[in-house]
């Protein structure tokens, strides 16, 4: 009996122990399952609250300035207010308490009601080793501590430190709104939870560092790609990528000039200390940039004493200066005006060096920021707290114009990126040197090839003239090419071809001059201006180069003549055709004397020889051209006559086809008409005979109700009752069918109109209906296209005097084209589109009395709702042989012949009106009486 009672006493304790072990197991699994610290902390406070039955469990994290923030919290049934996200000043936890939390891992338990605080040490204060026994020692609690907890609404609390390595990371805190006794076992369980949280913090920190390192590697790879692996060095893009990676608001890449007198290169992006446009800017070396300011350079070289309070980082061996707040640098006050108009607050400067030589600076700017801190209760941040706060209500503290510190990781990344930029700048400089060397080499090559190029150009001109002579026989074109190329090559003011017309009288037939030089094209000069002895010498092949007309021993009259046409020097080469002097090729220098070179004389002489060849060929060509012109004129006349004959022949063939079709239709109608009339005429007699026989059979059945068995069997075999009822219906159907065939035959005869070859008054509606009947098979719905509706809007028309057969041909062509257009459009439409907008042809007729001639005219409008046609197609729609149909589906003569029938044969008008997407309408208008119309037009009143 005693054993049973002890077992019952031990059961609650065993259950509690199992719950504690389960809590530890769940937290351990959560840490293993997730590396996200916030998720682990949220789960931890919830599980600890469940274990301790606490009203509020929270994780408090210390900041670098020893203040702290509640980053995770669990509140049971809102028994205490939430403190999550609120910050607490450093004075809330005394320095000596923080030191004990860190060095000996002090745990504390407070019971406000009893006025006691229990302290438990994890490590020895003397040796720092872990204690085997960790008893809770109670002592009176400080009154300030009691007042602090009461202000928070707390009656009991539990505090366990959370360490990360040797550093105090935070606290795991439990609060009770009522007095609570916490056992040593519960304290140890919470301590184990805190130890697991420390492991989670270490893992999360390692993960964060790994991610940051990977991100830095990605940034380095992107910048290295822009600087080294692309075909061009993308310094601007690399600068923008660097500014983004370092979370800057702007940046500058300063490339120092290689030597004095050269320009520095500055790449910029984002906010700047000096107002410059983003992008690459070439800056004269004489202008003072930020990098070239004396104070700035002295500071960069390390000559100034840095203020250790104002500077977040000092200059190291890597040549990096990181300043969090520019306004706290007293030695920069002289250049404060440069950045006072901006939001820039911090700067990171990397000295770019290659092989111990400065090549530039990489500068990153950071704007000032506004910070907002949520405090648990109002306090004075600049004064030490003497008394505990009486309220922990939220207090927002807003600070404007704050600076951001440069982290060691950012400085390390900037240092590595600086190395990339240094190598890229060195490569850029080498590239520029190579470019300059290549430019100098190009100049030397160009100078050395000028003469060769000139020779090649002259040879090219000579070849061009020869090719021109071979490609064309137009003499003026060849001569114009010669003078143009000679003037360009010799760089002279005027080049002419002078032709002798009668004896030694001549004329300037071709000329090439500069803009300000006087033109002498077309000038005729008397033979007295050209001495006979000159002509004889030129005829013998003389070439004359006069460097100065005043020093050439010319006659006075000749010098005066040359002065009138502004000649200072000239080069004259004869153009000979066999032994005859045809003319002269002359180059004039009009502004100053000129010394003519031997190669220039040789070039001009060769071109004169080519001109002589061209003249001889042109004369032969002229003779042949005159003969060819006569022959061509005759050929054009024959071609015109042949085209007219072909057109007439094609129209006759088309007319003959329609006539043959009409004869065929009329013959078929005639052949069908006779047997149909025979059938139609005898059906009534057959019906009468059948009725008599049926009545006779009825009398037999009435008077002989019991016929012979053989008769009964035969009546059952042929179903006499069905036969008696179906035979009259069959005869009635045959009569309807025969009547339909007679109507079709009549429509075919109306369409052919073979008996109406002359102009006669006819019902135009009958012709239209006959045409529609013939085209009925194209209007009905088929598997490959939908039905085309025909809307008739016939007016009250009197008989019209016309050629009925030809008008039926017009209707056939117009309606057939409308059907083609609608079928072609429906091939590209869906069933839903066809259903919403079915294809339709509207035929409208009316009598128009109001017209200039005063003669009534009949109008037939045939309109479809098809795709329509463009203005360009409308202009050609009545042209012979013009068609928009695929090859093999149209001759292009239908509308042309219809136009002749309506306009020429009937004296009417035929118009087409259409717009793309709006359908097409043909307007046919013919006079009611042609003779009356002609008399009215010939004798107007």
């Amino acid at each position: 009996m005693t054993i049973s009672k002890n077992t019952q006493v031990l059961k609650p304790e065993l259950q509690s122990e199992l719950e504690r072990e389960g809590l530890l197991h769940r937290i351990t699994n959560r840490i293993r399952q997730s590396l996200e610290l916030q998720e682990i902390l949220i789960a931890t406070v919830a599980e600890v609250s469940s274990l301790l039955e606490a009203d509020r469990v929270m994780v408090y994290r210390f900041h670098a300035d020893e203040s702290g923030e509640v980053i995770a919290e669990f509140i049971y049934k809102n028994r205490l207010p939430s403190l999550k996200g609120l910050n607490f000043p450093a004075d809330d936890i005394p320095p000596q308490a923080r030191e004990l939390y860190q060095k000996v891992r002090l745990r504390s338990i407070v019971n406000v009601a009893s006025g006691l605080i229990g302290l438990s040490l994890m490590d020895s204060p003397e040796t720092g080793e872990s204690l085997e026994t960790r008893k809770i020692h109670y002592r009176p609690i400080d009154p300030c501590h009691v007042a602090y907890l009461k202000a928070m609404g707390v009656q009991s609390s539990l505090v366990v430190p959370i360490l990360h390595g040797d550093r105090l990371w935070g606290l795991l805190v439990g609060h009770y709104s009522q007095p609570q006794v916490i056992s040593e076992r519960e304290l140890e369980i919470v301590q184990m939870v805190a130890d697991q949280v420390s492991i989670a913090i270490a893992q999360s920190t390692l993960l964060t560092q790994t991610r940051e390192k990977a991100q830095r590697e990605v940034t380095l790879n992107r910048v290295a790609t822009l600087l080294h692996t692309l075909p061009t060095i993308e310094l601007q893009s690399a600068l923008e990528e660097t500014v983004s990676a370092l979370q800057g608001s702007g940046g500058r890449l300063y490339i120092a000039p290689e030597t004095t007198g050269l320009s520095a290169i500055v790449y910029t992006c984002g906010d700047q200390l000096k107002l410059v446009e983003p992008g690459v800017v070439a800056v004269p070396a004489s202008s003072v940039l930020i990098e070239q300011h004396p104070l700035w350079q002295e500071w960069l070289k390390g000559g100034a004493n840095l203020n250790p309070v104002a500077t977040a980082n000092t200059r190291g061996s890597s040549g990096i200066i990181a300043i969090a707040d520019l306004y706290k640098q007293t030695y920069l006050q002289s250049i404060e005006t440069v950045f006072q108009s901006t939001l820039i607050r911090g700067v990171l400067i990397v000295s770019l060096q290659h092989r111990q030589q400065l090549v530039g600076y990489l500068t990153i700017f950071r704007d000032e920021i506004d910070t907002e801190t949520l405090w648990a209760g109002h306090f004075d941040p600049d004064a030490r707290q003497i008394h505990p706060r009486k309220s922990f209500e939220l207090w927002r503290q807003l600070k404007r114009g704050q600076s951001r510190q440069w982290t060691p990781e950012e400085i390390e990344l900037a240092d590595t990126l600086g190395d990339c930029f240094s190598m890229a700048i060195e490569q850029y400089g080498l590239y520029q040197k190579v470019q300059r060397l290549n430019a100098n080499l190009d100049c030397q090559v160009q100078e050395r090839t000028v003469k060769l190029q000139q020779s090649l150009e002259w040879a090219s001109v000579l070849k061009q003239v020869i090719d021109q002579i071979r490609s064309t026989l137009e003499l003026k074109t060849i001569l114009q090419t010669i003078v143009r190329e000679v003037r360009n090559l010799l760089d002279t003011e005027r080049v002419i071809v002078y032709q002798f017309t009668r004896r030694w009288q001549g004329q300037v037939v071709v000329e090439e001059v500069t803009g300000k030089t006087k033109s002498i094209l077309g000038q005729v000069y008397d033979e007295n201006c050209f001495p006979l002895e000159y002509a004889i010498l030129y005829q013998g092949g003389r070439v004359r180069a006069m460097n100065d007309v005043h020093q050439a021993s010319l006659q006075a009259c000749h010098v005066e003549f040359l002065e009138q046409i502004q000649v200072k020097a000239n080069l004259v080469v004869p153009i000979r055709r066999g032994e005859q002097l045809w003319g002269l090729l002359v180059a004039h220098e009009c502004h100053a004397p000129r010394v003519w070179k031997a190669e220039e004389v040789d070039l001009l002489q060769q071109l004169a020889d080519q001109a002589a060849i061209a003249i001889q060929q042109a004369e032969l060509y002229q003779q042949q051209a005159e003969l060819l012109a006569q022959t061509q004129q005759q050929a054009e006349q024959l071609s015109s006559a042949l085209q007219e004959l072909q057109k007439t022949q094609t129209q006759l063939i088309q007319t003959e086809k329609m006539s043959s079709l009409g004869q065929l239709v009329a013959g078929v109608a005639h052949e069908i008409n006779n047997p149909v009339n025979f059938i139609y005429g005898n059906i009534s007699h057959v019906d009468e005979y059948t009725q008599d026989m049926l009545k006779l059979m009825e009398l037999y059945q009435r008077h002989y109700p019991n016929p012979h068995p053989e008769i009964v069997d035969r009546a059952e075999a042929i179903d006499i009752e069905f036969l008696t009822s179906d035979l009259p219906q069959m005869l009635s159907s045959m009569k309807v069918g025969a009547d339909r065939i007679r109507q079709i035959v009549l429509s075919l005869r109306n369409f052919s109109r073979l008996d109406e070859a002359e102009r006669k008054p006819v019902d135009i509606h009958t012709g239209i209906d006959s045409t529609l009947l013939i085209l009925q098979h194209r209007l009905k719905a088929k598997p490959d296209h939908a039905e085309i509706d025909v809307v008739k809007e016939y007016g009250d028309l009197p008989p019209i005097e016309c050629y009925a057969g030809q008008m039926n041909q017009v209707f056939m062509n117009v309606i057939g084209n409308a059907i083609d257009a609608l079928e072609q459009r429906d091939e590209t439409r869906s069933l839903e589109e066809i259903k919403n907008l079915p294809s339709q042809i509207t035929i409208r007729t009316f009598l128009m009395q109001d017209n200039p001639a005063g003669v009534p005219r009949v109008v037939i409008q045939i309109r479809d709702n098809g795709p329509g046609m463009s203005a360009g197609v409308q202009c050609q729609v009545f042209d012979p042989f013009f068609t928009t149909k695929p090859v093999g589906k149209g001759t292009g003569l239908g509308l042309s012949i219809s136009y002749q029938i309506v306009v020429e044969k009937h004296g009417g008008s035929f118009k087409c009106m259409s717009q793309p997407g709006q359908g097409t309408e043909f307007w046919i208008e013919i006079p009611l009486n042609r003779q009356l119309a002609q008399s009215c037009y010939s004798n107007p009143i």
Side-chain angles (χ1 to χ4, degrees), residues 48-60:
V48 172
S49 175
S50 174
L51 170 69
L52 301 179
E53 297 180 354
D55 297 328
R56 176 171 59 208
V57 177
M58 62 185 185
V59 175
Y60 179 86

PDB file of all heavy atoms in Angstrom, residues 48-60:
ATOM      1  N   VAL A  48       8.994  27.865 -24.334  1.00  0.00           N
ATOM      2  CA  VAL A  48       9.367  28.200 -22.948  1.00  0.00           C
ATOM      3  C   VAL A  48       8.163  28.709 -22.171  1.00  0.00           C
ATOM      4  O   VAL A  48       7.986  28.399 -20.983  1.00  0.00           O
ATOM      5  CB  VAL A  48      10.507  29.231 -22.953  1.00  0.00           C
ATOM      6  CG1 VAL A  48      10.776  29.749 -21.541  1.00  0.00           C
ATOM      7  CG2 VAL A  48      11.767  28.620 -23.536  1.00  0.00           C
ATOM      8  N   SER A  49       7.303  29.485 -22.837  1.00  0.00           N
ATOM      9  CA  SER A  49       6.090  29.956 -22.161  1.00  0.00           C
ATOM     10  C   SER A  49       5.212  28.789 -21.761  1.00  0.00           C
ATOM     11  O   SER A  49       4.626  28.765 -20.681  1.00  0.00           O
ATOM     12  CB  SER A  49       5.338  30.925 -23.071  1.00  0.00           C
ATOM     13  OG  SER A  49       4.118  31.308 -22.491  1.00  0.00           O
ATOM     14  N   SER A  50       5.137  27.797 -22.639  1.00  0.00           N
ATOM     15  CA  SER A  50       4.332  26.614 -22.318  1.00  0.00           C
ATOM     16  C   SER A  50       4.952  25.846 -21.160  1.00  0.00           C
ATOM     17  O   SER A  50       4.235  25.314 -20.294  1.00  0.00           O
ATOM     18  CB  SER A  50       4.229  25.726 -23.555  1.00  0.00           C
ATOM     19  OG  SER A  50       3.579  24.519 -23.256  1.00  0.00           O
ATOM     20  N   LEU A  51       6.274  25.783 -21.095  1.00  0.00           N
ATOM     21  CA  LEU A  51       6.946  25.048 -20.026  1.00  0.00           C
ATOM     22  C   LEU A  51       6.788  25.748 -18.684  1.00  0.00           C
ATOM     23  O   LEU A  51       6.400  25.142 -17.685  1.00  0.00           O
ATOM     24  CB  LEU A  51       8.431  24.893 -20.373  1.00  0.00           C
ATOM     25  CG  LEU A  51       9.322  24.364 -19.241  1.00  0.00           C
ATOM     26  CD1 LEU A  51       8.994  22.900 -18.945  1.00  0.00           C
ATOM     27  CD2 LEU A  51      10.795  24.524 -19.607  1.00  0.00           C
ATOM     28  N   LEU A  52       7.087  27.036 -18.646  1.00  0.00           N
ATOM     29  CA  LEU A  52       7.090  27.770 -17.387  1.00  0.00           C
ATOM     30  C   LEU A  52       5.721  28.310 -17.015  1.00  0.00           C
ATOM     31  O   LEU A  52       5.549  28.845 -15.904  1.00  0.00           O
ATOM     32  CB  LEU A  52       8.077  28.937 -17.466  1.00  0.00           C
ATOM     33  CG  LEU A  52       9.538  28.590 -17.762  1.00  0.00           C
ATOM     34  CD1 LEU A  52      10.381  29.864 -17.840  1.00  0.00           C
ATOM     35  CD2 LEU A  52      10.084  27.655 -16.694  1.00  0.00           C
ATOM     36  N   GLU A  53       4.763  28.215 -17.946  1.00  0.00           N
ATOM     37  CA  GLU A  53       3.437  28.801 -17.737  1.00  0.00           C
ATOM     38  C   GLU A  53       3.571  30.286 -17.434  1.00  0.00           C
ATOM     39  O   GLU A  53       2.898  30.844 -16.575  1.00  0.00           O
ATOM     40  CB  GLU A  53       2.679  28.086 -16.623  1.00  0.00           C
ATOM     41  CG  GLU A  53       2.402  26.628 -16.931  1.00  0.00           C
ATOM     42  CD  GLU A  53       1.645  25.932 -15.817  1.00  0.00           C
ATOM     43  OE1 GLU A  53       1.439  26.578 -14.765  1.00  0.00           O
ATOM     44  OE2 GLU A  53       1.243  24.769 -15.997  1.00  0.00           O
ATOM     45  N   ALA A  54       4.530  30.909 -18.155  1.00  0.00           N
ATOM     46  CA  ALA A  54       4.801  32.339 -17.965  1.00  0.00           C
ATOM     47  C   ALA A  54       3.823  33.166 -18.777  1.00  0.00           C
ATOM     48  O   ALA A  54       3.305  32.737 -19.815  1.00  0.00           O
ATOM     49  CB  ALA A  54       6.239  32.661 -18.383  1.00  0.00           C
ATOM     50  N   ASP A  55       3.577  34.398 -18.287  1.00  0.00           N
ATOM     51  CA  ASP A  55       2.663  35.293 -18.994  1.00  0.00           C
ATOM     52  C   ASP A  55       3.347  35.978 -20.186  1.00  0.00           C
ATOM     53  O   ASP A  55       2.678  36.343 -21.148  1.00  0.00           O
ATOM     54  CB  ASP A  55       2.144  36.362 -18.022  1.00  0.00           C
ATOM     55  CG  ASP A  55       1.338  35.728 -16.900  1.00  0.00           C
ATOM     56  OD1 ASP A  55       0.694  34.690 -17.156  1.00  0.00           O
ATOM     57  OD2 ASP A  55       1.368  36.258 -15.771  1.00  0.00           O
ATOM     58  N   ARG A  56       4.662  36.165 -20.106  1.00  0.00           N
ATOM     59  CA  ARG A  56       5.388  36.770 -21.225  1.00  0.00           C
ATOM     60  C   ARG A  56       6.795  36.200 -21.233  1.00  0.00           C
ATOM     61  O   ARG A  56       7.485  36.232 -20.218  1.00  0.00           O
ATOM     62  CB  ARG A  56       5.444  38.289 -21.104  1.00  0.00           C
ATOM     63  CG  ARG A  56       6.281  38.957 -22.212  1.00  0.00           C
ATOM     64  CD  ARG A  56       6.137  40.473 -22.187  1.00  0.00           C
ATOM     65  NE  ARG A  56       6.563  41.028 -20.915  1.00  0.00           N
ATOM     66  CZ  ARG A  56       6.080  42.171 -20.396  1.00  0.00           C
ATOM     67  NH1 ARG A  56       5.166  42.865 -21.035  1.00  0.00           N
ATOM     68  NH2 ARG A  56       6.523  42.616 -19.234  1.00  0.00           N
ATOM     69  N   VAL A  57       7.208  35.668 -22.418  1.00  0.00           N
ATOM     70  CA  VAL A  57       8.571  35.199 -22.623  1.00  0.00           C
ATOM     71  C   VAL A  57       9.122  35.956 -23.815  1.00  0.00           C
ATOM     72  O   VAL A  57       8.473  36.049 -24.862  1.00  0.00           O
ATOM     73  CB  VAL A  57       8.627  33.682 -22.872  1.00  0.00           C
ATOM     74  CG1 VAL A  57      10.067  33.252 -23.152  1.00  0.00           C
ATOM     75  CG2 VAL A  57       8.074  32.934 -21.673  1.00  0.00           C
ATOM     76  N   MET A  58      10.341  36.508 -23.645  1.00  0.00           N
ATOM     77  CA  MET A  58      10.893  37.301 -24.737  1.00  0.00           C
ATOM     78  C   MET A  58      12.389  37.085 -24.845  1.00  0.00           C
ATOM     79  O   MET A  58      13.049  36.641 -23.894  1.00  0.00           O
ATOM     80  CB  MET A  58      10.585  38.784 -24.528  1.00  0.00           C
ATOM     81  CG  MET A  58      11.178  39.394 -23.270  1.00  0.00           C
ATOM     82  SD  MET A  58      10.664  41.108 -23.028  1.00  0.00           S
ATOM     83  CE  MET A  58      11.643  41.558 -21.596  1.00  0.00           C
ATOM     84  N   VAL A  59      12.914  37.364 -26.066  1.00  0.00           N
ATOM     85  CA  VAL A  59      14.347  37.335 -26.327  1.00  0.00           C
ATOM     86  C   VAL A  59      14.789  38.774 -26.515  1.00  0.00           C
ATOM     87  O   VAL A  59      14.276  39.497 -27.379  1.00  0.00           O
ATOM     88  CB  VAL A  59      14.685  36.498 -27.575  1.00  0.00           C
ATOM     89  CG1 VAL A  59      16.176  36.607 -27.884  1.00  0.00           C
ATOM     90  CG2 VAL A  59      14.293  35.043 -27.342  1.00  0.00           C
ATOM     91  N   TYR A  60      15.747  39.182 -25.652  1.00  0.00           N
ATOM     92  CA  TYR A  60      16.262  40.549 -25.643  1.00  0.00           C
ATOM     93  C   TYR A  60      17.674  40.521 -26.206  1.00  0.00           C
ATOM     94  O   TYR A  60      18.538  39.778 -25.717  1.00  0.00           O
ATOM     95  CB  TYR A  60      16.248  41.085 -24.206  1.00  0.00           C
ATOM     96  CG  TYR A  60      16.773  42.494 -24.032  1.00  0.00           C
ATOM     97  CD1 TYR A  60      15.931  43.590 -24.199  1.00  0.00           C
ATOM     98  CD2 TYR A  60      18.098  42.721 -23.682  1.00  0.00           C
ATOM     99  CE1 TYR A  60      16.415  44.873 -24.018  1.00  0.00           C
ATOM    100  CE2 TYR A  60      18.582  44.002 -23.499  1.00  0.00           C
ATOM    101  CZ  TYR A  60      17.731  45.088 -23.677  1.00  0.00           C
ATOM    102  OH  TYR A  60      18.203  46.361 -23.505  1.00  0.00           O
TER     103      TYR A  60
END
